[in-house]
């Protein structure tokens, strides 16, 4: 008698579009955290696995370390690691409660006299760090480190005593900018997009947008990049584009650019995808490990930006 049992069919392969190729790139190269983040954003994955993976980077002082931000190696908590952690928690809707209180406790402990955060706390000394990241004994507070943290805490309606002075610092820093560079502008936007005083934020963003255009800090024509200077200290070719500032249509920076300028920028972003399915790093590369860890992060960000603007990534 013939055997009537049949083996189960293997699952149908997913279509080999840009998203599937990016997923393969993530599975080949990403840390567990970014694997779960990709699944959360694009494959209906839950928030719990993301939060559990992030806990591996958390320290007893309430901050985050362990190279969560790949250019800072070692176990010690740093403001830049903690800012990255808040971005992850915000992305999965878990940026609140006791976890936010612990983060604010850490931020209070490392703040400068004016209530701001240093980009790198001197505890980093002795551990590997990117050569373009200075480690000094008495670092000043910087908008670069403070703006994104304050913005995300306001976005999630977290209230803590530390926030009052840090918010005042951000307002002073943003409203006094005369010269700047792309990463500082992005930090300012991270604050302004979620600052509670919306009329003041809109006025400050308008002024900042005029500065960006006057200083040519956004490459408006990807076919003529020589017309846009790279900021001092940046890597050769480390340009920034409209989509780097207005990562979603809801950002205050969206008003800085015409529909045509934004369209060209998004087309350039889509075309940047490499054959392996991931997006490249534009900043200076100094060691293999940080590059390997950062590219999946950049890839997820690129896919989220394209999705936010309704650009197909499937």
């Amino acid at each position: 008698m013939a055997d009537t049992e049949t083996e189960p069919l293997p699952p149908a392969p997913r279509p080999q579009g840009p998203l599937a190729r990016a997923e393969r790139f993530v599975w080949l190269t990403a840390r567990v955290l970014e694997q779960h983040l990709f699944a959360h954003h694009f494959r209906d994955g839950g928030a719990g696995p993301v939060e559990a993976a992030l806990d591996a980077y958390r320290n007893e002082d309430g901050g985050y370390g362990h190279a969560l931000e790949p250019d800072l190696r070692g176990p010690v908590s740093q403001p830049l690691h903690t800012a990255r952690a808040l971005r992850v928690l915000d992305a999965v809707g878990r940026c609140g409660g006791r976890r936010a209180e612990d983060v604010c406790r850490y931020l209070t402990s490392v703040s400068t006299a004016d209530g701001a955060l240093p980009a790198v706390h001197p505890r980093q000394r002795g551990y590997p760090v990117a050569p373009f990241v200075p480690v000094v004994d008495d670092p000043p507070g910087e908008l670069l480190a403070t703006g994104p943290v304050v913005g995300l805490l306001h976005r999630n309606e977290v209230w803590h005593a530390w926030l009052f002075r840090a918010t005042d610092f951000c307002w002073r820093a943003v409203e006094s900018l005369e010269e700047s560079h792309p990463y500082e502008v992005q930090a300012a936007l991270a604050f302004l997009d979620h600052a509670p005083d919306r009329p003041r934020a809109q006025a400050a963003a308008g002024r900042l947008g005029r500065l960006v255009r006057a200083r040519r800090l956004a490459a408006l024509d990807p076919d003529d990049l020589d017309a846009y200077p790279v900021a001092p200290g940046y890597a050769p070719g480390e340009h920034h584009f409209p989509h780097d500032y207005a990562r979603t249509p809801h950002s205050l920076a969206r008003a800085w650019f015409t529909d045509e300028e934004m369209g060209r920028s998004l087309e350039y972003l889509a075309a940047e995808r490499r054959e392996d399915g991931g997006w490249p790093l534009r900043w200076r590369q100094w060691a293999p490990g940080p590059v390997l860890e950062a590219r999946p992060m950049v890839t997820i960000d690129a896919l989220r930006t394209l999705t936010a603007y309704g650009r197909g990534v499937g």
Side-chain angles (χ1 to χ4, degrees):
M1 182 175 178
D3 185 0
T4 58
E5 293 184 4
T6 59
E7 295 184 2
L9 294 174
R14 287 177 174 148
Q16 289 303 301
L19 187 60
R21 291 195 291 274
E23 183 175 30
R24 185 174 189 275
F25 170 77
V26 166
W27 280 115
L28 282 172
T29 65
R31 305 178 293 192
V32 172
L33 175 60
E34 281 72 40
Q35 291 174 18
H36 284 308
L37 263 178
F38 184 95
H40 176 77
H41 289 307
F42 304 109
R43 300 300 186 200
D44 297 321
V50 177
E51 192 172 15
L54 184 63
D55 274 343
Y57 300 89
R58 192 180 183 193
N59 288 323
E60 291 185 2
D61 60 9
Y64 290 78
H66 306 280
L68 180 57
E69 183 65 45
D71 282 334
L72 300 177
R73 315 305 289 184
V76 298
S77 296
Q78 287 289 344
L80 292 180
H81 294 316
T82 304
R84 172 70 63 177
L86 288 175
R87 283 185 61 190
V88 171
L89 292 168
D90 174 71
V92 299
R94 298 287 178 89
C95 190
R98 177 61 183 271
R99 189 179 297 276
E101 292 177 11
D102 289 344
V103 165
C104 288
R105 173 170 54 87
Y106 163 72
L107 298 174
T108 302
S109 73
V110 296
S111 292
T112 57
D114 53 5
L117 298 172
V120 181
H121 191 274
R123 289 183 64 200
Q124 183 67 34
R125 195 180 303 281
Y127 296 103
V129 62
F132 47 82
V133 179
V135 181
V136 299
D137 291 332
D138 188 20
E142 295 189 26
L143 180 61
L144 187 71
T146 313
V149 168
V150 173
L152 283 172
L153 292 175
H154 280 308
R155 169 179 163 84
N156 288 275
E157 299 182 345
V158 174
W159 292 104
H160 187 275
W162 174 79
L163 262 179
F164 291 97
R165 295 188 66 210
T167 299
D168 287 343
F169 169 86
C170 288
W171 280 124
R172 290 194 303 271
V174 170
E175 293 177 334
S176 63
L177 284 177
E178 296 295 340
E179 299 286 341
S180 192
H181 57 91
Y183 292 121
E184 187 175 52
V185 172
Q186 289 175 323
L189 274 168
F191 167 69
L192 293 174
D193 274 342
H194 307 297
D197 189 338
R198 299 315 298 155
R200 187 177 180 182
Q202 290 166 358
R207 176 182 174 277
L208 190 60
R210 292 190 291 275
L211 184 150
V212 165
R213 295 187 74 96
R215 299 288 189 271
R216 303 179 74 79
L217 299 182
L220 303 180
D221 184 357
D223 293 328
D224 187 20
L225 292 180
D226 289 341
Y228 301 92
V230 173
Y234 283 33
E238 191 177 352
H239 294 95
H240 285 70
F241 301 86
H243 66 261
D244 290 312
Y245 300 106
R247 293 191 176 276
T248 77
H250 306 295
S251 171
L252 291 172
R254 178 61 186 88
W256 300 353
F257 309 108
T258 67
D259 290 347
E260 183 180 359
E261 290 166 347
M262 184 57 68
R264 284 198 300 264
S265 181
L266 293 169
E267 289 171 6
Y268 183 84
L269 175 62
E272 273 195 304
R273 183 180 58 82
R274 297 297 186 251
E275 287 298 320
D276 61 9
W279 267 255
L281 305 184
R282 294 197 214 114
W283 62 82
R284 198 177 303 277
Q285 301 171 27
W286 62 283
V291 173
L292 188 67
E293 293 172 354
R295 281 196 66 205
M297 297 159 58
V298 169
T299 295
I300 292 170
D301 285 345
L303 291 169
R304 292 189 69 195
T305 295
L306 291 169
T307 300
Y309 282 95
R311 300 288 176 127
V313 296

